[in-house]
Amino acid sequence: MDFKYFVSQLEHNISVFESLLINKTEKEYLWRPNQEKWCLLEIVCHLVDEEQDDFRARVKHTLENPNMPLKPINPEGWVKERDYISKDYKDTLLLFLKERKSSILWLTSLKDVLWDNAINHPDLGKLSAELFLTNWLAHDYLHIRQIMKYKYDYLKLKTNLDLSYAGNW
């Protein structure tokens, strides 16, 4: 496993997320493509929770306590449980960026890592620290794609012009 590659990509994504999400108006960060979709504020809140309570916590747990069960998480339910919509957008974005930097510092401090360490999940089977790290990066890419689609849809909303000249989404 190319551990340094995954960590460097997670670190690089700090600037990607920042450039995609900084300087949004309230109208922009509260807008939803449709009622079932999250707004940017909810996406950013989700990124904070995933950073703190899912990926970093699960990699750490699997490396340090592979024989202990994982603490349950509820990413979909946290939107309401943690009242994402009441959070301050700018503060939450800054918190996410800070937490990601903390994750990178932690990851780069690791020595002699046993990436094969695995927990036995009752529904998903064997899940290794390597799998969690790799999926952490994949999760970034899924949300970067989601945010780009949001930006494209918001652009369509803001204009009466045909966007097909730009190409097909």
Side-chain angles (χ1 to χ4, degrees):
M1 176 177 136
D2 189 355
F3 166 74
K4 288 182 181 181
Y5 170 80
F6 294 104
V7 175
S8 72
Q9 292 305 298
L10 287 167
E11 183 174 24
H12 172 73
N13 287 346
I14 295 169
S15 61
V16 174
F17 280 115
E18 183 175 22
S19 67
L20 289 173
L21 295 167
I22 200 82
N23 297 325
K24 297 294 179 217
T25 65
E26 183 176 8
K27 185 175 181 177
E28 287 175 296
Y29 66 72
L30 292 178
W31 178 77
R32 297 171 191 280
N34 64 55
Q35 278 311 107
E36 295 81 44
K37 300 289 184 182
W38 292 350
C39 65
L40 284 179
L41 172 58
E42 292 164 326
I43 294 168
V44 173
C45 290
H46 170 75
L47 290 171
V48 170
D49 285 344
E50 289 295 292
E51 195 72 21
Q52 295 173 329
D53 299 330
D54 188 351
F55 291 103
R56 183 173 63 210
R58 290 180 181 291
V59 169
K60 185 173 176 38
H61 178 96
T62 306
L63 290 173
E64 296 173 0
N65 301 297
N67 296 320
M68 300 293 295
L70 290 169
K71 178 181 170 188
I73 60 172
N74 185 16
E76 294 286 325
W78 288 340
V79 178
K80 298 262 188 264
E81 289 171 21
R82 297 181 178 185
D83 196 20
Y84 284 178
I85 203 66
S86 72
K87 307 294 184 201
D88 179 271
Y89 179 80
K90 183 179 178 185
D91 289 347
T92 306
L93 176 57
L94 292 175
L95 177 59
F96 167 64
L97 299 172
K98 177 181 164 276
E99 288 298 322
R100 174 54 63 89
K101 289 173 187 172
S102 294
S103 295
I104 299 304
L105 285 172
W106 173 71
L107 286 164
T108 56
S109 76
L110 296 174
K111 303 288 185 243
D112 302 320
V113 182
L114 299 173
W115 289 108
D116 291 337
N117 273 13
I119 57 99
N120 284 310
H121 190 278
D123 299 321
L124 304 174
K126 184 178 175 183
L127 303 175
S128 69
E130 179 182 14
L131 179 133
F132 285 124
L133 179 66
T134 305
N135 277 265
W136 193 349
L137 182 56
H139 184 260
D140 271 11
Y141 294 152
L142 291 171
H143 283 293
I144 290 167
R145 179 183 70 179
Q146 176 190 32
I147 294 162
M148 292 305 300
K149 178 68 167 122
Y150 170 100
K151 291 172 77 70
Y152 182 84
D153 290 345
Y154 193 77
L155 175 63
K156 284 186 357 185
L157 177 77
K158 298 290 283 180
T159 184
N160 291 326
L161 298 176
D162 178 11
L163 299 178
S164 64
Y165 181 76
N168 295 324
W169 183 261

